[in-house]
Amino acid sequence: MAGVSLALRLGVSFIKFSSLFLLLAYHSHSFYLPGVAPQDFITGAELKVKVNKLTSTKTQLPYSYYSLPYCPPDHIVDSAENLGEVLRGDRIENSPYVFQMREPQQCKILCRITLNEKTAKEFKEKIDDDYRVNMILDNLPLVVPIPRFDQEKAVVYQHGFQVGLKGQYAGSKEQKHFIHNHLTFTVKFHKDSQTNLARIVGFEVKPFSIKHDYDGQWKNENTRLTTCDPHARRAVTSSESPQVIEDKKDVIFTYDVAFEESEVKWVFRWDTYLLMADGQIHWFSIVNSLMIVLFLSGMVAMIMLRTLYRDISKYNQLETQEGAQEETGWKLVHGDVFRPPTNSDLLCVYAGTGVQFFGMILVTMMFAALGFLSPSNRGGLMTVMLLLWVFMGLFAGYASARLYKMFKGTEWKKITLKTAFIFPATIFTIFFFLNALIWGEKSSGAVPFGTMFALVFLWFGISVPLVFAGSYIGFKKPGIEDPVKTNKIPRQIPEQAWYMNPAFSILIGGVLPFGAVFIELFFILTSIWLHQFYYIFGFLFIVFVILIVTCAEITIVLCYFQLCSEDYLWWWRSYLTSGSSAIYLFLYAAFYFFTKLDITKPVSGILYFGYMLIASYAFFVLTGTIGFYACFWFTRLIYSSVKID
């Protein structure tokens, strides 16, 4: 009866998971709730453009807009930024670009600057590194529309415009640097037919490099240009002579503004930004991964049900037969299977940290999938993750203390300190080193001292006390009793076959969890390192569920084979089996670096591998904890289902 009960429980659990999984798949369509309220503009209303950081996929080092000698306003004012924006390197400031709603402007002069050797060198370096200028209007980022030749009337949007370009004059082989000093803006708006008010639904630009000329003396914005004259209706075209960057050269910055009515409503204005290139491939890959893992899950569940039912039935029948007391298989090690492992304190710490990380990811995924973390709220995702990590310290302390008490530990304060400091201190040390490198490059991506102090305060002032509170609650609660009695003297583990070698089985076990997420990982890496938006959180949540199930199943199967070979040292192996998927994640990150990115600077390469090391370490803690608790539940379940004298 115990075998039947176990089979029924496993079967019901699998049916519940399948139903939940299909429900999530059905409702996984991505949507978002805007992060800001819509703003209505009357005709002639002032529209202020804000400037953001300069970004490059080649260096991955952002710089503030005014790090280059662009035309500044009378007073540069920084916009209030949240914690996530600062950590992302965003530096949002005002600009001299001012529009009037639905009132086109042509050849508007901003300013004239005279380059010197230093400023010319700065512009040339930014052009060589493919830096792009980012701007914001009504919380919408500036994009450059690029037609797709493989699809008729299809457009791909690139964020920001290039600082300039390199080229050659006709008949010359010398490479020159040219600056984009004329911008043709297009502001798309959706008009309310009843109130005649309008809302901004698009912000596009087409950059030009033009060597402006003028007659007479320079009169600032009142100067009449011969290369761009609104009175003569002479517009800037790509056939004009470009503005070269050289010492002692004058550069005149100008812009045009055109307004275009759009059928796109304000609530859908982000859709064009969130559409990803190769979307069909993305969706097909996700569905394909989903089907494969569901198929494997069904097979593994059926195998485990049949095998366990046969084992438990055989063991319980032997108990009722006289003289048939010889034990074989996984029942043979029942007296040692719950023996505390080597370095049990460290296992408790990593299990508690994994619970903290799992809680943070789960809640973040839920909020993101429901649309509460809209990309219009810049830095919101990172801010939420940091705050959730801090407050999940309560569960980290509780989980580590409960496991520590089960191992008969008594120094709960010691284990609490380790839980509160080992993982965060490792991450903070790597982060501090990388931040020092960024600071040495004078990049705006360097975290300021005030923000660094805020991070330390969140860690010591909130997270650590919560870890202590959770640990106190977990340790004072009655402990978990083992289903079988542990022998005083450990039995000897027999020699095992090569395929049951711990290192081999651990590495093999990490393949399947990585295989469940590596397709989605490509799109995540692309969005991070190629500065694209990622917002298919519905499917990302499904992939996260697939990861959980895959980690649990592969760890349970390998743990079962290990116990059947009379090896009872399953504690650490269960953690490392699914946790080893982090090795494959880091190797894939290295493959992505050499095949997809064009990073040449040593500092940028160190930053990439440093941040991917942090991500891989966190992934190890997450997947290892999932596998450990799945194996812990499975082991207690099977040993409580057989009769043991």
Side-chain angles (χ1 to χ4, degrees), residues 217-338:
Q217 295 182 343
W218 176 255
K219 301 177 182 178
N220 296 324
E221 65 272 8
N222 297 321
T223 305
R224 188 165 181 174
L225 304 176
T226 58
T227 49
C228 175
D229 190 354
H231 302 287
R233 296 185 179 179
R234 179 186 174 95
V236 173
T237 63
S238 56
S239 61
E240 304 287 349
S241 178
Q243 175 64 61
V244 69
I245 300 176
E246 290 179 350
D247 185 20
K248 297 182 176 59
K249 287 285 186 179
D250 288 339
V251 179
I252 300 174
F253 290 91
T254 56
Y255 67 94
D256 301 334
V257 184
F259 290 86
E260 181 181 316
E261 188 170 358
S262 173
E263 295 297 324
V264 177
K265 295 183 178 179
W266 186 88
V267 71
F268 300 115
R269 67 177 187 165
W270 274 89
D271 289 359
T272 54
Y273 293 86
L274 302 180
L275 289 177
M276 302 180 67
D278 301 324
Q280 292 182 344
I281 298 176
H282 177 86
W283 292 96
F284 173 78
S285 301
I286 296 299
V287 173
N288 183 55
S289 177
L290 175 64
M291 293 299 104
I292 292 175
V293 174
L294 279 177
F295 177 72
L296 290 175
S297 300
M299 289 187 61
V300 170
M302 292 301 296
I303 291 172
M304 296 303 295
L305 282 172
R306 293 175 62 87
T307 305
L308 280 175
Y309 175 71
R310 185 181 65 245
D311 287 349
I312 294 173
S313 298
K314 181 182 69 174
Y315 289 151
N316 288 337
Q317 287 175 4
L318 289 174
E319 289 293 336
T320 61
Q321 298 174 3
E322 289 189 18
Q325 299 296 323
E326 183 179 356
E327 298 174 345
T328 58
W330 54 266
K331 186 182 178 184
L332 184 64
V333 295
H334 68 83
D336 299 282
V337 72
F338 293 109

Side-chain angles (χ1 to χ4, degrees), residues 128 211 230 260 264 345 399 430 624:
D128 288 335
K211 186 179 184 304
E260 181 181 316
V264 177
D345 289 8
I430 299 174

Side-chain angles (χ1 to χ4, degrees), residues 68-252:
L68 290 179
Y70 281 119
C71 302
D74 294 335
H75 300 285
I76 298 177
V77 180
D78 293 332
S79 298
E81 295 173 310
N82 57 44
L83 183 60
E85 285 180 296
V86 177
L87 294 177
R88 279 162 34 101
D90 286 341
R91 296 296 183 267
I92 302 174
E93 299 160 312
N94 62 329
S95 78
Y97 294 97
V98 180
F99 311 153
Q100 278 71 44
M101 185 65 176
R102 298 165 66 181
E103 293 184 0
Q105 300 178 22
Q106 186 178 357
C107 202
K108 186 77 172 178
I109 298 176
L110 275 181
C111 72
R112 181 186 65 170
I113 66 170
T114 301
L115 298 176
N116 55 37
E117 186 177 353
K118 179 183 178 183
T119 54
K121 181 182 177 182
E122 291 174 346
F123 272 116
K124 289 179 181 179
E125 289 177 346
K126 294 297 186 292
I127 294 173
D128 288 335
D129 291 332
D130 291 338
Y131 269 88
R132 307 184 73 89
V133 180
N134 295 277
M135 296 183 178
I136 302 169
L137 177 63
D138 191 36
N139 210 39
L140 272 181
L142 179 68
V143 294
V144 178
I146 300 176
R148 292 188 61 170
F149 298 103
D150 57 337
Q151 298 181 19
E152 188 176 355
K153 296 183 179 180
V155 177
V156 174
Y157 292 100
Q158 291 187 351
H159 301 288
F161 64 91
Q162 290 181 318
V163 173
L165 68 160
K166 291 189 293 184
Q168 301 168 341
Y169 286 116
S172 173
K173 295 183 179 180
E174 184 182 1
Q175 282 275 356
K176 295 286 187 179
H177 294 78
F178 304 100
I179 187 173
H180 283 141
N181 60 325
H182 180 86
L183 304 177
T184 298
F185 294 103
T186 300
V187 179
K188 295 185 177 181
F189 64 93
H190 182 79
K191 185 179 66 174
D192 190 318
S193 57
Q194 296 181 349
T195 63
N196 203 34
L197 297 175
R199 294 177 178 176
I200 296 174
V201 296
F203 187 33
E204 302 175 1
V205 70
K206 187 175 182 181
F208 294 92
S209 179
I210 175 173
K211 186 179 184 304
H212 283 300
D213 290 324
Y214 58 91
D215 294 329
Q217 295 182 343
W218 176 255
K219 301 177 182 178
N220 296 324
E221 65 272 8
N222 297 321
T223 305
R224 188 165 181 174
L225 304 176
T226 58
T227 49
C228 175
D229 190 354
H231 302 287
R233 296 185 179 179
R234 179 186 174 95
V236 173
T237 63
S238 56
S239 61
E240 304 287 349
S241 178
Q243 175 64 61
V244 69
I245 300 176
E246 290 179 350
D247 185 20
K248 297 182 176 59
K249 287 285 186 179
D250 288 339
V251 179
I252 300 174

Side-chain angles (χ1 to χ4, degrees), residues 268-437:
F268 300 115
R269 67 177 187 165
W270 274 89
D271 289 359
T272 54
Y273 293 86
L274 302 180
L275 289 177
M276 302 180 67
D278 301 324
Q280 292 182 344
I281 298 176
H282 177 86
W283 292 96
F284 173 78
S285 301
I286 296 299
V287 173
N288 183 55
S289 177
L290 175 64
M291 293 299 104
I292 292 175
V293 174
L294 279 177
F295 177 72
L296 290 175
S297 300
M299 289 187 61
V300 170
M302 292 301 296
I303 291 172
M304 296 303 295
L305 282 172
R306 293 175 62 87
T307 305
L308 280 175
Y309 175 71
R310 185 181 65 245
D311 287 349
I312 294 173
S313 298
K314 181 182 69 174
Y315 289 151
N316 288 337
Q317 287 175 4
L318 289 174
E319 289 293 336
T320 61
Q321 298 174 3
E322 289 189 18
Q325 299 296 323
E326 183 179 356
E327 298 174 345
T328 58
W330 54 266
K331 186 182 178 184
L332 184 64
V333 295
H334 68 83
D336 299 282
V337 72
F338 293 109
R339 186 182 305 279
T342 306
N343 296 321
S344 59
D345 289 8
L346 191 61
L347 180 62
C348 296
V349 170
Y350 273 97
T353 303
V355 169
Q356 183 179 12
F357 201 82
F358 178 82
M360 178 196 72
I361 293 294
L362 180 63
V363 177
T364 302
M365 289 281 190
M366 292 175 64
F367 275 101
L370 292 174
F372 290 104
L373 297 177
S374 167
S376 61
N377 181 16
R378 282 177 302 275
L381 180 64
M382 187 173 293
T383 302
V384 168
M385 291 181 68
L386 280 173
L387 294 179
L388 283 174
W389 168 264
V390 169
F391 290 109
M392 288 295 170
L394 182 71
F395 299 96
Y398 180 84
S400 61
R402 295 291 293 157
L403 192 60
Y404 181 69
K405 187 172 184 177
M406 192 190 73
F407 290 151
K408 312 302 180 185
T410 56
E411 299 178 359
W412 70 274
K413 294 181 180 179
K414 180 180 178 181
I415 204 70
T416 303
L417 284 173
K418 290 182 178 180
T419 305
F421 287 100
I422 286 182
F423 180 82
T426 304
I427 298 298
F428 187 81
T429 301
I430 299 174
F431 175 75
F432 188 84
F433 171 73
L434 296 178
N435 190 69
L437 291 179

